[in-house]
Amino acid sequence: MIVTAAAPIRVCDCGGWTDTWFSRHGRVFNIAVRPTAIVQVEVFPASADRPRVLIDATDFGDRYVPARVSGRWDRHPLLEAAIEHVGVPEHLAIEVSVTCDVPAGASTGTSAAVTVALVGALDRVRGGTLTRREVARMAHAVETERLGQQSGIQDQICSAMGGVNDIEMTAYPEATVRQLSLAHPLRWELERRLALIFLGRGHSSSDIHRRVIEDLSGLGPDCPELEALRRAAGDACDSLVHADLAGLGRAMSDCTEAQRRLHPDLVCPDADRVIAIAREHGAAGWKVNGAGGDGGSLTLVGPRSSGARRAMLRAIQAEGPQFHHIPIVLDAHGLRVWTTP
């Protein structure tokens, strides 16, 4: 038996930084898109001549049997921690294969998508009792409790639920989720105009993030810096409710500038190069994905004209060989899990 799970990534996360323990309450707007993270779990009867767990991290060329010492991790802590957290029935052995068509460190919630897909697949192996919201909570716990990492709640929710989300965190980590229902013409136009630009290197800004977290935790949950981010999320939601893509673009750009005010290095020079080109070609707005920092990616709401959008993407890719346009489509389904013999 093979259990396959697919979970989308996240873009356009207006209000990020407010879905965290130090914000205490927050609001985030985000959009689930494909490509997806794909996890396959092949299930066998346990036997003395087969390892209980074998991991094939295909994108990294790693195929190995983890040490499986509780609390100690081998080559891929996220995968190993998720397997330990969910557990494998004693009478079974599994081979886990993981792939994703988005580069690691793209700041699009890729690690959350992988974890959501892996938790969903392992839950199916165990009988499939979890709701998608419960999968999101468990995936968040893997990162924060098992691995002790900083993690907001929005990425796991978006990946598990799919769609276009208005997430209101009432008290960390509890949240209510309103999924925006878009008329087909608006959905098609939003999908046509969105563009995901990878900056050519994985996100690596832990020192900056640590300093920002220290500053924000000292300022308190209702400081102007966090309020500006929450306001951008609300503006993004209101714009889409009123079918206003220009307003969505402004909210995204406002959120990026609010991130820059947290720390200037959260919007890196390469991001500014892409933003300048997008502005020249009439883009409606731009958002540095995730927490921001060195590397990563941006989401653009391109110009209304298809020709101008194509010219914008050509100009971005001509600006430097490191810049890559990653085609995306909206994902309304979120986590999908199925079984084949």
Side-chain angles (χ1 to χ4, degrees), residues 64-222:
Y64 69 104
V65 176
R68 298 197 73 199
V69 177
S70 182
R72 294 173 57 187
W73 315 115
D74 201 339
R75 303 183 202 176
H76 294 277
L78 187 67
L79 306 181
E80 296 161 26
I83 293 168
E84 180 174 299
H85 195 80
V86 181
V88 180
E90 288 294 327
H91 65 287
L92 297 178
I94 60 172
E95 291 189 11
V96 178
S97 171
V98 181
T99 61
C100 187
D101 289 334
V102 177
S107 299
T108 53
T110 309
S111 63
V114 167
T115 312
V116 164
L118 181 51
V119 169
L122 292 172
D123 174 59
R124 178 65 61 88
V125 171
R126 295 181 62 86
T129 62
L130 298 177
T131 66
R132 289 188 297 169
R133 284 298 302 274
E134 289 169 337
V135 169
R137 292 189 192 100
M138 188 171 287
H140 182 258
V142 168
E143 294 200 40
T144 57
E145 297 174 17
R146 290 280 175 174
L147 297 178
Q149 296 177 348
Q150 298 281 356
S151 175
I153 63 172
Q154 59 140 330
D155 289 352
Q156 294 84 1
I157 290 173
C158 187
S159 187
M161 302 294 292
V164 179
N165 297 290
D166 178 8
I167 301 170
E168 184 170 2
M169 188 179 75
T170 50
Y172 178 85
E174 299 301 318
T176 59
V177 182
R178 177 177 67 120
Q179 294 197 298
L180 304 187
S181 179
L182 307 184
H184 288 311
L186 175 60
R187 181 182 182 83
W188 298 332
E189 181 67 2
L190 174 63
E191 185 173 84
R192 184 186 70 83
R193 291 178 64 179
L194 285 178
L196 174 60
I197 308 298
F198 179 54
L199 296 177
R201 62 188 184 281
H203 181 270
S204 178
S205 301
S206 58
D207 288 341
I208 297 170
H209 293 167
R210 192 157 38 245
R211 292 198 297 272
V212 171
I213 291 169
E214 289 173 356
D215 290 344
L216 288 175
S217 58
L219 292 172
D222 298 313

Side-chain angles (χ1 to χ4, degrees), residues 27 29 178 180 233-244:
R27 189 175 184 183
F29 165 89
R178 177 177 67 120
L180 304 187
D235 290 345
C237 292
D238 291 344
S239 295
L240 268 193
V241 166
H242 293 95
D244 180 7

Side-chain angles (χ1 to χ4, degrees), residues 319-335:
E319 177 71 11
Q322 71 272 32
F323 299 143
H324 297 283
H325 171 226
I326 300 175
I328 56 175
V329 295
L330 302 189
D331 184 292
H333 299 288
L335 174 66

